[in-house]
């Protein structure tokens, strides 16, 4: 740039300054308003959306699908799309290093690449067009980042569509724009603008099709307990499901009963000081994750073929500490379900589900001996089991389920000497309030949601409410 | 009384000079898009303040990081607010800095005499992304752990020196306590110090050359 142009630019700027404003207060005023707006926005986001809880890092859980911060998603997507290109796609560093490197390099050198002093948009169609296509591309890559390039059924169709919108259209459009500016110099600005608009719109359309065709996958959320009380409750549920058959629901079992292969095995009660005082938290993690294979306790940690994550094992340890270890003071624990008022009907969501999880699911889930009766969802409770049609009969006290939880075993009709179904749960009778929940639920038609249950509320008769 | 104090201070600090040189400057008629730079600065300051509060309870070790963050959310008064602002501030800062760059690009404000401002700006953009990358690991949750595993793997794919970069980032072949310590140090000392220094130069250059005017047909 020669001195004359520089002088012209400076003189032009001088003229703008003369008819302009003052930094203080005019500009600062606008800055303050925007900053204040951002501050309010931050407080609102922090209050109403917050930070979504995540389970603790678990280096052994390699099944976890990594998701980077959202502003790096487009790079991930770009890598995936690039990997589809034959031959070149196999050379990873071209996509991970070379292309991003060139992009950042060009961005850095923009002032030295675009040296002409022109500043008006009309004279900068090429750089502006390229930037628009790049930004539209990055935004679309971010939006489609959830869509895999190979669908679950092995089809690569969506992957090809993504290469079209994320790689082919932008490359073709940018090449065309560069050719128009440097080779076919006669091209009108109109044509260049239309090329950009056309490229952007078709990229948006193709990505729209990709998003529309992509089956919404339900993201499997691991439950994250954040407060101590929630962690203890989560730990107790997990303990009830996985450990009670050998250690009993309060950890007091000293001789294992009713477990195949371990019948009569003498063990140290795990709620004793012997165990709790000698095993530290991290050793406890190891015991549960790795099990005691020699003694007959199977591994539970994902790293060793079990099904529990690090967080889940931590919750169990927290539960054992706060409920059994006298060095810890337990906080007030929420009752398993809200107490029922006179005439109130329990629902599956609020009452049955937590009760079943605590007392029944340890045996009544897939892979256990249970007459094929599964209790992990509303449908399962009502429809599974070898005696499904007799287990739960609306309004009938003689439903098998109600009989067995009230300590009446069901005898086999064909062979009255034999038990068809033993008492449930086999080891220890349920407390009366839990039995009451099951009875009221079945007698009143097994409502699923709290609303359905509320509609069934039977008003207590006047005598019952009359004060004594 | 106040006047006397002011005059005394002015004599030693040169408050009046500061006022005329820094604040009472002429500017071309402004535009709302021009507030994005100061918005980036505001977010940087907010991140600094909330970040300092977070370090009071945060512990950078694999055994305690997760629990200390949990404690900030549940146990510390207004801890959730501080962390929430820091979390969303990070997202917003990347967004605002990026849009600020786009506006500078579209108005061609990087041209003579502001080329250096742009170069420093690219440094700021990369540092901001670096802050996001290093900060993401600190809560030591599943998301953090695996995103960083993959992120550092990408750095490891550089030909010839990849292996070295990977080990330098992770402090060993795998993600470990060393990685967390390193990322923590980068996140609270190295990158913010660099950012602050670069922002200082950026602002000096802006005052020196003045805000560019909005381009019209003439330019
Ligand atoms: C931490 C990040 C950043 C901060 C705190 C920051 C701060 C500022 C401030 C306060 C201004 C003056 C007001 C305005 O024009 O908006 C400004 C202008 C400017 N910034 Fe930044 N900036 C940042 C990042 C960037 C980036 C990423 C670039 C581009 C690569 C950039 C390039 C420029 C240029 C060229 C100007 C002069 C604009 C003009 O005179 O019209 N800055 N910046």
């Amino acid at each position: 740039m020669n001195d004359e142009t520089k002088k012209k630019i400076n003189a032009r700027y001088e003229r703008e300054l003369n008819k302009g404003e003052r930094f203080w207060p005019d500009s600062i005023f606008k800055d303050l308003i925007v900053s204040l707006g951002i501050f309010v926005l931050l407080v609102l986001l922090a209050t109403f959306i917050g930070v979504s809880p995540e389970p603790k890092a678990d280096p052994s859980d390699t099944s976890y699908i990594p998701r980077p911060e959202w502003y790096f998603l487009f790079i991930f997507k770009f890598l995936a799309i690039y990997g589809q290109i034959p031959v070149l796609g196999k050379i990873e560093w071209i996509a991970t290093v070379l292309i991003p490197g060139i992009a950042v390099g060009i961005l850095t050198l923009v002032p030295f690449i675009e040296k002409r002093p022109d500043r008006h948009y009309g004279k900068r169609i090429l750089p502006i067009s390229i930037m628009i296509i790049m930004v539209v591309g990055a935004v679309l890559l971010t939006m489609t980042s959830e869509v895999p390039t190979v669908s679950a059924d092995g089809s690569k169709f969506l992957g090809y569509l993504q290469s079209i919108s994320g790689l082919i259209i932008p490359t073709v459009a940018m090449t065309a724009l560069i050719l128009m500016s440097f080779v076919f110099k006669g091209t009108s600005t109109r044509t260049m603008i239309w090329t950009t608009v056309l490229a952007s719109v078709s990229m948006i359309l193709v990505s729209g099709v990709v998003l529309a065709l992509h089956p919404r996958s339900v993201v499997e959320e691991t439950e994250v307990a954040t407060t101590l009380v929630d962690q203890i409750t989560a730990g107790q549920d997990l303990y009830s499901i996985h450990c009670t058959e050998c250690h009993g629901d309060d950890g007091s079992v000293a001789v294992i009963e009713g477990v195949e292969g371990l019948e009569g095995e003498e063990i140290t009660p795990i709620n004793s000081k012997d165990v709790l005082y000698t095993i530290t938290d991290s050793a406890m993690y190891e015991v549960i994750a790795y099990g005691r294979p020699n003694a007959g306790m199977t591994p539970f940690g994902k790293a060793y073929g079990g099904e529990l994550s690090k967080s889940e094992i931590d919750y169990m340890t927290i539960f054992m500490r706060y409920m059994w270890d006298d060095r810890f003071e337990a906080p007030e624990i929420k009752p398993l379900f809200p107490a029922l008022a006179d005439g109130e009907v329990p629902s599956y969501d609020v009452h049955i589900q937590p009760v079943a999880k605590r007392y029944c699911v340890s045996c009544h889930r897939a892979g256990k001996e249970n007459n094929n009766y599964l209790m992990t969802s509303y449908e399962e409770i009502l429809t599974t089991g070898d005696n499904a049609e007799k287990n739960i009969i609306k309004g009938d006290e003689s439903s098998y389920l109600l009989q067995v939880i009230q300590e009446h075993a069901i005898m086999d009709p064909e062979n009255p000497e034999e038990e068809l179904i033993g008492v449930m749960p086999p080891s220890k009778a349920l407390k009366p309030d839990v039995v009451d929940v099951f009875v009221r639920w079945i007698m009143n038609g097994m409502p699923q949601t709290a609303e359905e249950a509320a509609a069934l509320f039977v008003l207590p008769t006047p005598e019952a409410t009359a004060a004594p | 009384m106040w006047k006397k104090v002011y005059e005394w201070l002015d004599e030693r600090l040169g408050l009046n000079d500061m006022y005329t040189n820094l604040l009472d400057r002429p500017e071309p008629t402004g535009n709302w898009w021009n507030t994005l730079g100061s918005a980036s600065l505001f977010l940087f300051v907010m991140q600094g303040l909330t970040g300092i509060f977070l370090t009071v309870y945060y512990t950078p070790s694999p055994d305690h990081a997760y629990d200390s963050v949990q404690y900030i959310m549940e146990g510390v008064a207004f801890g959730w607010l501080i962390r929430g602002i820091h979390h969303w501030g990070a997202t917003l800062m990347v967004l605002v800095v990026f849009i600020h760059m786009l506006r500078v690009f579209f108005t061609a404000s990087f041209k003579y005499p502001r080329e250096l401002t742009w170069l420093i700006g690219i440094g700021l953009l990369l540092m901001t992304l670096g802050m996001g990358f290093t900060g993401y690991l600190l809560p030591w949750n599943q998301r953090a752990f695996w995103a960083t595993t993959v992120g550092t793997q990408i750095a490891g794919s550089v030909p010839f020196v990849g292996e070295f970069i990977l080990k330098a980032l992770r402090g060993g072949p795998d993600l470990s306590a060393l990685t967390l310590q390193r990322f923590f140090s980068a996140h609270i000392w190295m990158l913010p110090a660099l950012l602050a220094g670069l922002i200082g130069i950026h602002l000096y250059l802006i005052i020196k050359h003045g805000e560019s005017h909005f381009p019209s047909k003439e330019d």
Side-chain angles (χ1 to χ4, degrees):
Chain A
M1 193 176 287
N2 56 30
D3 286 340
E4 199 158 323
T5 341
K6 286 184 184 168
K7 223 183 255 154
K8 234 167 65 198
I9 292 176
N10 290 335
R12 165 98 182 88
Y13 187 58
E14 209 56 43
R15 255 189 297 143
E16 284 291 333
L17 282 188
N18 287 337
K19 59 176 188 193
E21 57 186 26
R22 306 307 285 182
F23 179 60
W24 165 264
D26 306 323
S27 306
I28 297 240
F29 177 67
K30 287 192 200 122
D31 291 341
L32 285 180
I33 289 183
V34 171
S35 295
L36 188 71
I38 287 182
F39 181 73
V40 172
L41 181 65
L42 281 179
V43 172
L44 290 180
L45 285 170
T47 311
F48 293 106
I49 302 188
V51 188
S52 69
E54 266 284 310
K56 194 171 186 165
D58 183 356
S60 61
D61 179 9
T62 44
S63 64
Y64 191 87
I65 302 166
R67 258 173 309 173
E69 271 283 53
W70 64 268
Y71 39 81
F72 292 124
L73 282 177
F74 76 98
I75 302 186
F76 266 59
K77 185 80 254 184
F78 176 75
L79 292 184
I81 291 180
Y82 170 84
Q84 294 183 304
I85 304 178
V87 191
L88 273 188
K90 300 288 159 300
I91 312 175
E92 207 193 355
W93 60 269
I94 295 188
T96 55
V97 182
L98 195 66
I99 297 177
I102 292 178
V104 172
I106 292 182
L107 198 64
T108 312
L109 296 180
V110 154
F112 307 101
I113 296 172
E114 203 197 325
K115 278 192 295 219
R116 283 180 307 161
D118 305 328
R119 288 188 59 207
H120 190 67
Y121 320 108
K123 302 171 195 159
R124 299 179 61 229
I125 299 293
L126 180 67
I128 289 186
S129 298
I130 291 182
M131 187 58 114
I132 288 178
I133 292 176
M134 295 289 271
V135 171
V136 170
V139 171
L140 291 176
L141 286 180
T142 308
M143 286 170 64
T144 53
S145 64
E146 292 270 289
V147 189
T149 45
V150 181
S151 312
D153 57 7
S155 136
K156 293 189 173 167
F157 180 62
L158 289 185
Y160 293 143
L161 281 189
Q162 290 180 54
S163 330
I164 293 180
S165 72
L167 212 57
I168 298 177
I169 302 182
T171 318
V172 169
M174 286 195 280
T175 320
L177 285 166
I178 291 174
L179 287 180
M180 286 178 201
S181 322
F182 296 108
V183 184
F184 309 108
K185 288 204 174 133
T187 323
S188 68
T189 20
R190 255 255 177 76
T191 323
M192 293 182 69
I193 294 175
W194 275 112
T195 311
T196 311
V197 171
L198 205 71
S200 308
V201 170
S202 46
M203 282 156 73
I204 293 173
L205 287 182
V206 177
S207 301
V209 172
V210 169
L211 283 177
L213 290 183
H214 170 55
R216 284 264 139 255
S217 59
V218 200
V219 192
E220 197 189 311
E221 292 286 339
T222 6
E223 263 178 64
V224 182
T226 48
T227 63
L228 182 59
V229 173
D230 285 350
Q231 290 175 347
I232 295 175
T233 314
Q236 181 160 16
D237 284 337
L238 290 162
Y239 178 87
S240 319
I241 294 174
H242 297 283
C243 323
T244 39
E245 56 175 318
C246 294
H247 293 288
D249 58 6
D250 53 1
S252 64
V253 167
V255 180
I256 297 184
E257 275 174 37
V259 180
E260 218 176 300
L262 291 171
E263 197 62 51
E265 189 81 25
E266 285 184 24
I267 59 172
T268 332
I270 57 170
N271 68 353
S272 63
K273 283 188 185 166
D274 267 359
V275 169
L276 294 172
Y277 277 35
T278 50
I279 302 185
T280 62
D281 281 359
S282 55
M284 187 69 87
Y285 174 81
E286 287 301 323
V287 170
I288 301 174
Y290 189 58
R292 283 279 151 102
N294 297 330
M297 175 168 158
T298 49
F300 288 90
K302 278 189 182 154
Y304 306 103
E307 49 181 294
L308 299 181
S309 72
K310 187 152 172 34
S311 288
E312 287 172 325
I313 295 179
D314 283 350
Y315 298 157
M316 276 198 272
T317 309
I318 292 173
F319 155 70
M320 289 156 70
R321 288 281 178 234
Y322 279 92
M323 302 312 280
W324 302 341
D325 193 328
D326 56 13
R327 295 168 300 175
F328 289 75
E329 200 173 319
E332 195 146 335
I333 303 289
K334 274 178 285 176
L336 190 56
F337 52 87
L340 291 172
D342 272 338
E344 186 179 348
V345 176
S347 65
Y348 172 77
D349 289 350
V350 181
H351 302 86
I352 301 294
Q353 198 248 356
V355 168
K357 203 167 171 188
R358 178 75 50 88
Y359 298 108
C360 320
V361 169
S362 59
C363 301
H364 290 283
R365 60 193 170 115
K368 299 276 164 179
E369 187 194 330
N370 49 28
N371 282 12
N372 302 314
Y373 186 37
L374 309 182
M375 298 185 69
T376 57
S377 73
Y378 181 71
E379 282 72 30
E380 281 178 2
I381 288 189
L382 293 184
T383 57
T384 60
D386 292 350
N387 297 295
E389 57 308 327
K390 302 232 182 85
N391 278 342
I392 296 186
I393 305 167
K394 178 181 170 182
D396 189 345
E397 291 259 17
S398 63
S399 298
Y400 282 0
L401 190 148
L402 291 185
Q403 292 295 313
V404 294
I405 59 168
Q406 302 188 68
E407 302 189 58
H408 301 294
I410 304 287
M411 292 305 171
D412 192 340
E414 279 151 34
N415 185 359
E417 297 297 296
E418 284 279 305
E419 266 187 11
L420 179 67
I421 307 165
V423 296
M424 289 293 143
S427 49
K428 197 172 165 195
L430 292 176
K431 286 194 247 59
D433 61 332
V434 180
V435 172
D436 184 42
V437 165
F438 275 111
V439 173
R440 287 204 210 182
W441 186 59
I442 294 181
M443 296 309 285
N444 289 293
M446 297 87 73
Q448 179 172 14
T449 63
E451 290 82 53
E452 286 165 23
L456 295 170
F457 199 114
V458 202
L459 269 189
T461 48
E463 299 97 274
T465 40
Chain B
M1 169 68 192
W2 288 120
K3 201 162 177 264
K4 278 226 172 98
V5 174
Y6 180 82
E7 274 164 11
W8 188 88
L9 281 176
D10 180 36
E11 256 176 5
R12 344 263 129 173
L13 290 173
L15 292 180
N16 277 337
D17 289 353
M18 263 197 235
Y19 175 75
T20 41
N21 289 330
L22 290 181
L23 294 178
D24 194 27
R25 287 181 290 123
E27 289 249 292
T29 324
N31 176 291
W32 284 97
W33 290 106
N34 290 19
T35 57
L36 289 170
S38 63
S40 313
L41 181 63
F42 173 73
L43 281 163
F44 175 73
V45 172
M46 282 299 287
Q47 291 304 87
L49 290 178
T50 50
I52 287 171
F53 278 118
L54 289 177
T55 59
V56 174
Y57 291 98
Y58 178 80
T59 320
S61 85
D63 284 343
H64 301 292
Y66 184 82
D67 296 330
S68 64
V69 172
Q70 209 75 291
Y71 182 65
I72 292 173
M73 293 300 280
E74 301 297 334
V76 181
F78 291 106
W80 58 270
L81 183 63
I82 300 290
R83 173 154 185 248
I85 292 182
H86 200 74
H87 176 91
W88 286 103
T91 284
L92 228 56
M93 182 162 169
V94 171
L95 208 64
V96 170
V97 169
F98 187 73
I99 303 178
H100 169 59
M101 182 199 80
L102 286 182
R103 104 86 183 130
V104 171
F105 181 83
F106 286 131
T107 60
S109 303
F110 57 83
K111 297 199 168 180
Y112 170 84
R114 298 181 183 81
E115 295 95 330
L116 199 54
T117 323
W118 172 271
L119 285 187
I120 305 277
I122 294 290
L124 289 172
L125 178 69
L126 295 181
M127 295 288 152
T128 308
L129 292 177
M131 290 295 284
F133 183 65
T134 50
Y136 202 49
L137 177 68
L138 301 185
W140 201 252
N141 54 34
Q142 281 284 70
R143 206 179 241 267
F145 185 90
W146 293 105
T148 308
T149 306
V150 176
T152 44
Q153 243 162 33
I154 290 184
S157 69
V158 183
F160 309 117
V161 288
E163 188 70 20
F164 172 77
I165 299 183
L166 182 83
K167 282 201 179 138
L169 282 175
R170 291 186 180 174
D174 292 313
L175 239 65
S176 65
L178 266 178
T179 325
L180 184 56
Q181 192 73 43
R182 244 159 236 230
F183 274 48
F184 180 65
S185 164
H187 188 78
I188 73 160
W189 294 120
M190 305 175 197
L191 291 175
L194 273 171
L195 255 175
L198 288 182
I199 289 179
I201 308 178
H202 201 68
L203 294 184
Y204 164 76
L205 288 172
I206 289 151
I207 292 172
K208 165 113 178 61
H209 297 294
E211 182 89 22
S212 69
H213 63 275
F214 215 71
S216 67
K217 274 239 148 43
E218 268 184 74
D219 296 282

